[in-house]
Amino acid sequence: MRTYEKILVAAVVTLPLVGAFIGAPFVRPDTSDLNRSPAPFPDLGAGDLLDADEFASISAWLRDRVPLRRQVRYVDTKFDREVFGEINSGNVLLGRDGWLFFEPAIGLALQPDYDPADLRAGVSRLKRQIEAAGKRFLFIVAPDKPTVYPGYLRERDQRRQSEVRGRLERFRALMRHEPVDGFIDIWDEMAAAASLAPEPIYFPRDTHWTTQGSLVAADMVLDALAPGLSGAPGSSGAPGLPGSLEIKRIRPRDFIPDLVKNAGFDHSEVIQIPDFERPGIRWKTSGASKSGRTRTIGFTAKTADEAEAPLLPRIAVICDSYGNALHRSLRLFFESTTFLHTGSLGTKRARKALAEADIVI
């Protein structure tokens, strides 16, 4: 090969890489399809360039900023799905009948050295801290989708999930034997609702529960705080959830399920979002603040007649993304309701809401 040919080949190979490196800092990263924030550029010090871990951190930063990253990933995913019938994503499991599942829901639950006593100790520690601040404590776990719908997992993942289920049952047995006041176990109620509901109470291609699924949790929260508000059998007082909730309207919304995005696709679905109202109650948004990709959002409510439509005291709900589906129901039952995503607890608004809350869940 002649010299100029070698130079030409080298240029064809290296120039795109050089261009990607130079252009990366000017590309606005978007890793929403990976369900995580973009990798930050590492803090480099003297001698760090000789550290393999620092090179790995720089590489991760570059990968998230490569031009057309999402488009290339989409083509790669489409090829894997249509040719091999698989999803090449470490975070997504292909289930039966088109269902998708979040792999860490099973994988993280199978980590070694599991001890239910450690989990109970963590709940107890939170309880002491919150009650020391003069507030009422509640703790509720949103079961992962594989716990409620194991039948849609493929056979191999069903076997793994059965081991996860055994661990969960050990924790539940411990909490029944040595209860922590304020802990709410909703797993049986979620399973019962799933068997009775005409439609799934979790999105088949998303990690989260639907509004209908979230109402199970909201009902149990209200029943724990004020049985007369919950609509529980045998309870007295004003009708509550779901009895006193009325559907004001149902809004269709284009929606890309998170597991579809995580798998590398961008196929949207249309879902129906209900807006609830409660007779005698008026509510409004009291403000929101963001911290990265997470946020704190608050609501206040007023009643025209406390006897007919009572309101509970101020509540702060510390939650992950499952809490989003609780906004439309819980905000109608408390004087103020503030949802604080676990990633936004450092914001000024979050600290203020926690200081002012009578109840922390």
Side-chain angles (χ1 to χ4, degrees):
M1 183 180 292
R2 297 172 183 174
T3 302
Y4 76 88
E5 292 175 332
K6 294 180 180 179
I7 295 174
L8 182 60
V9 170
V12 169
V13 172
T14 60
L15 284 179
L17 297 176
V18 173
F21 184 85
I22 295 174
F26 302 101
V27 174
R28 184 176 182 178
D30 178 9
T31 52
S32 59
D33 60 313
L34 301 173
N35 197 33
R36 62 169 175 79
S37 300
F41 191 81
D43 293 327
L44 298 177
D48 285 341
L49 292 179
L50 301 178
D51 189 333
D53 290 338
E54 292 299 341
F55 273 107
S57 299
I58 296 172
S59 176
W61 177 82
L62 278 172
R63 280 198 305 270
D64 287 351
R65 289 159 176 79
V66 170
L68 304 178
R69 180 196 62 78
R70 292 187 65 168
Q71 289 81 351
V72 172
R73 182 169 184 254
Y74 174 79
V75 171
D76 180 59
T77 302
K78 186 175 179 65
F79 182 82
D80 286 339
R81 182 72 180 92
E82 295 184 357
V83 175
F84 299 107
E86 291 290 343
I87 292 177
N88 186 20
S89 171
N91 279 343
V92 181
L93 294 175
L94 184 63
R96 304 175 189 268
D97 300 333
W99 281 54
L100 301 176
F101 292 87
F102 192 46
E103 156 60 28
I106 299 177
L108 290 178
L110 292 177
Q111 289 186 337
D113 302 323
Y114 168 76
D115 185 352
D118 288 342
L119 299 181
R120 184 189 178 280
V123 176
S124 300
R125 185 166 57 250
L126 281 173
K127 175 182 171 65
R128 291 193 298 271
Q129 292 172 346
I130 290 171
E131 291 184 343
K135 306 174 189 306
R136 183 165 181 179
F137 166 83
L138 293 177
F139 190 97
I140 188 167
V141 176
D144 285 308
K145 189 166 68 174
T147 304
V148 179
Y149 286 108
Y152 285 101
L153 291 165
R154 292 193 291 186
E155 184 176 351
R156 171 183 174 272
D157 296 316
Q158 284 183 350
R159 292 195 297 268
R160 298 168 68 217
Q161 176 60 26
S162 66
E163 184 177 346
V164 173
R165 181 74 190 191
R167 291 184 169 193
L168 291 174
E169 293 300 346
R170 286 165 54 196
F171 172 66
R172 297 176 72 193
L174 176 62
M175 295 298 276
R176 288 191 293 268
H177 181 64
E178 301 177 33
V180 176
D181 187 37
F183 177 79
I184 304 175
D185 182 347
I186 68 169
W187 292 322
D188 289 341
E189 286 73 11
M190 292 295 298
S195 65
L196 296 173
E199 296 181 356
I201 63 173
Y202 284 70
F203 293 107
R205 285 164 290 281
D206 192 272
T207 317
H208 303 91
W209 52 27
T210 63
T211 300
Q212 187 62 40
S214 73
L215 290 178
V216 178
D219 192 24
M220 295 193 70
V221 168
L222 292 174
D223 190 42
L225 293 171
L229 276 179
S230 70
S235 63
S236 58
L241 184 70
S244 69
L245 283 182
E246 299 175 357
I247 296 179
K248 182 178 181 180
R249 64 177 180 270
I250 297 178
R251 297 175 291 116
R253 195 185 86 185
D254 286 334
F255 167 68
I256 301 179
D258 64 353
L259 294 176
V260 171
K261 287 194 294 184
N262 289 353
F265 294 111
D266 59 357
H267 302 156
S268 65
E269 304 175 5
V270 176
I271 58 174
Q272 306 297 324
I273 302 294
D275 285 332
F276 295 112
E277 62 182 2
R278 185 179 171 214
I281 299 296
R282 297 173 59 189
W283 68 272
K284 65 178 181 179
T285 303
S286 60
S289 61
K290 288 188 176 182
S291 175
R293 295 175 60 199
T294 63
R295 68 171 182 164
T296 296
I297 183 168
F299 306 93
T300 57
K302 291 185 178 181
T303 177
D305 188 336
E306 183 66 28
E308 292 295 325
L311 289 171
L312 293 166
R314 297 164 295 186
I315 188 170
V317 184
I318 302 174
C319 56
D320 60 11
S321 52
Y322 271 79
N324 294 339
L326 292 168
H327 293 182
R328 292 181 292 278
S329 56
L330 287 187
R331 66 189 177 192
L332 297 169
F333 290 89
F334 297 87
E335 294 175 8
S336 74
T337 312
T338 307
F339 292 87
L340 304 85
H341 193 282
T342 53
S344 67
L345 295 180
T347 64
K348 181 179 180 180
R349 180 168 186 82
R351 293 195 297 268
K352 183 174 185 291
L354 282 171
E356 295 177 349
D358 302 296
I359 306 162
V360 176
I361 177 170

